[in-house]
Amino acid sequence: MPASPLLQLGLAEWLAELQSRRAAAAAAASQKPASTSHVAGSSVEALQLTSEHNYSAQLSAKSTLPASFSKEPAPSPSLPTDHPALNNGEIVKPPAFRSTTLERALNVYRRAVELEQKSELDQALILYRQAFRLDDNVDRAYRREEMLKSILREQRALQVTKPSEEVEDLAASFQSSVAIKPSSGQGVPSMVTGTLASLIQGFIEMELKFEPEDENEPVLLNLLPEELLVVILGNLDPTSIERFAAVSKKARIVTLDPGIWRKLVRRTYQPPQIPDYESIIPVTEGFLWNFRRFFIEHPRLRLDGVYIATCHYVRPGLSENSWVNTSHLITYHRYLRFYPNGQVLSLLANEEHTPQQIIPILKPTLRMNGLYFGQWKLVGTTVHITNLIDASGRFALPVSGATGPSPPPEPYSSSSGTGEKARYAFLMTLNLRSRPMGRWNRMDIQLYESLNVETGDVNPIVLKHERPFWFSKVRSYTH
């Protein structure tokens, strides 16, 4: 650590004072008889040790300079670069700078710290006592010395680090988390990230093939070209693709082909899943054209099942005995089924209708109390459901107002009901989330409002016992 100019000035004055005292002591010793020379030399050494000890104590107390330094003129404003007290800008104390007692105390204190780190507490305690007997401030000197060493190490680390090494470290970390391989039959590189990359990197250069369960039986799948296998897998749903990938290493490599997931992304991410087709390009670039990662991580509404919210509340009941209080636990369900054309079915059913009864009949042709038809769109992770109209059969469903890429189903184009128009429509705003057991499988109600069709007034509706919607896959709903 470079010395400050003030400290350099103090060192220079101290060295000059020490040399003058030694010269004076030598001159006095040459004038006195030999019988007194030994005594004079001892007094000089005692004076030297006393001066060194006082200077060390003043440094430990963080004082700037001794008072004697300000009384005598400084021989030089700074130390030369080749002075023995400097080494690469760092102060190297000469043997006389620090007393031998403090140096021995520091050595004993260091050994005590090492023994304490090794859990040899008895020996460490003995050495600690010995160090404090030699010098009372040995702990302060040790802490100051360690602090200076840590600062020096940090400065050296900053000087040694180079931009090229930082780039190399970044490339190494990227290579450890990303595996790049040529895709089968497409000629376009496919990228895999995360934990899967480290697994694939081990067997990506191996000669892989489908192995039979019985060695005596052939595997006809090995006769099928990989290009044709990729086309077949491209027509499956993601669950089937991942199940096939779990068969073997060869299956995993084939299912990572970007052509399979590109088709799946094009089929899935269409309005109203996305605002428009042009918005999908910058999102894909953000995922480095990894269509598999795009499909897994980008928000989407699940259309292969139904979102169900199971709600409960307690209702007080009547009892013939005044000493007994009767309470009823009421359970009801909310259902939301989304269609690719932007239509949504919302159903509120009581405990008389179980999910096993409702799910098979939850279709646009259904007519029952609590059923509503509306439109939906997804913006980020927010689901907007608008124009929810009572579809129980009492009101005529509007033909206009459907916002989907294709014409609405039959209930919206029919004039069912008595011909009376509904006075109110309902709006819902939900937050789409992913939970550990699946992707985009939970929705929380953020806002529920009623819209007066005649006046256009919107009023919020307070929901007390609502619970989040959880997704349940239904095989018959798969498109």
Side-chain angles (χ1 to χ4, degrees), residues 43-87:
S43 62
V44 170
E45 292 178 359
L47 179 62
Q48 176 182 351
L49 292 176
T50 305
S51 176
E52 294 168 357
H53 182 72
N54 292 336
Y55 187 73
S56 301
Q58 291 173 357
L59 281 181
S60 63
K62 299 183 179 179
S63 61
T64 55
L65 287 175
S68 61
F69 287 174
S70 60
K71 297 179 181 179
E72 299 180 12
S76 60
S78 61
L79 292 175
T81 56
D82 57 349
H83 197 275
L86 295 178
N87 182 14

Side-chain angles (χ1 to χ4, degrees), residues 267-273 295 300-307 336-345 362 376-378 383 405 432 439-441 443 471-479:
R267 292 199 308 260
T268 303
Y269 289 92
Q270 298 181 1
Q273 292 275 18
F295 183 82
R300 70 180 188 279
L301 269 176
R302 303 285 298 271
L303 308 180
D304 55 344
V306 59
Y307 289 87
L336 286 176
R337 181 180 178 183
F338 298 91
Y339 286 88
N341 63 350
Q343 184 186 7
V344 58
L345 305 184
L362 187 59
W376 68 273
K377 65 177 180 179
L378 179 63
V383 183
L432 184 63
R439 284 286 179 175
W440 314 116
N441 58 348
M443 287 193 302
F471 178 77
S472 295
K473 185 174 180 179
V474 182
R475 243 178 235 183
S476 59
Y477 288 2
T478 304
H479 297 280

Side-chain angles (χ1 to χ4, degrees), residues 108 111-113 115-116 120-133:
V108 175
R111 291 199 302 270
V113 172
L115 291 175
E116 183 181 3
E120 299 179 8
L121 303 181
D122 295 337
Q123 297 295 330
L125 183 59
I126 295 174
L127 293 180
Y128 277 133
R129 291 174 178 173
Q130 182 179 353
F132 278 102
R133 289 194 192 99

